[in-house]
Amino acid sequence: VQLQAYGGGLVQAGGSLGLSCRVSGRTSGYYAVAWFRQAPAKEREFVAAVSWNFNSPYYGDSAKCRFTISRDDAKNTVHLQMNSLKPEDTAVYYCASGGAVSTREGDYAYWGQGTQVTVSS
C-alpha cells in the first residue's frame, strides 16, 4: 500500500486549503484513511479519518466544524478541505491507512510523506 499526500502550502489566517491523499496498492477489504498532523516540537495529532466501507467521517477536536474529509472512490483519493485556518493549524500533515478508523497513529500501518501547511497571521 502506498499513499501520496499533496496540496500543502502557505495560506493566510482565515483562508482555506485542500489536501489530497492518493491510495494505491490496496485491492480490497475494509480499511480507513486518516489525516494526522505534527507541529514543531509537538506530538503527532489526529485530525480526521474516513472509513472506506462505510464512508463515515470522524474528526478530532481541532478539525470539527472547520475541516471536511471526503473520498473519491473513482480516484482512490481522500481529500481534506480545511477552512477558517488558524496559525495554530501550521504543521506537517500526513495521511495514513489502516484497518479501521482510529485516532491512534499506531493503528495505521501505512503512511504517506508529509505535506507542509503554513498559516500566516
Side-chain angles (χ1 to χ4, degrees):
V1 178
Q2 294 182 330
L3 294 92
Q4 182 180 8
Y6 53 96
L10 174 65
V11 63
Q12 290 187 333
S16 299
L17 198 63
L19 304 180
S20 297
C21 177
R22 185 175 183 278
V23 182
S24 61
R26 185 175 291 274
T27 57
S28 64
Y30 173 82
Y31 69 100
V33 176
W35 286 96
F36 286 79
R37 69 185 185 184
Q38 189 166 21
K42 292 188 177 181
E43 294 186 351
R44 195 168 294 185
E45 174 190 17
F46 172 78
V47 177
V50 63
S51 161
W52 210 265
N53 282 33
F54 303 109
N55 198 20
S56 54
Y58 188 83
Y59 297 97
D61 290 340
S62 63
K64 290 177 181 176
C65 301
R66 297 189 300 128
F67 296 0
T68 302
I69 189 169
S70 62
R71 68 179 211 223
D72 183 335
D73 292 352
K75 297 181 179 180
N76 274 356
T77 300
V78 172
H79 302 288
L80 183 69
Q81 179 63 37
M82 304 183 292
N83 299 325
S84 302
L85 284 163
K86 307 173 183 178
E88 50 264 44
D89 293 317
T90 295
V92 177
Y93 285 70
Y94 299 89
C95 61
S97 177
V101 170
S102 171
T103 62
R104 302 184 301 178
E105 60 178 297
D107 290 338
Y108 294 89
Y110 305 98
W111 291 79
Q113 87 289 1
T115 184
Q116 176 71 46
V117 172
T118 303
V119 184
S120 62
S121 57

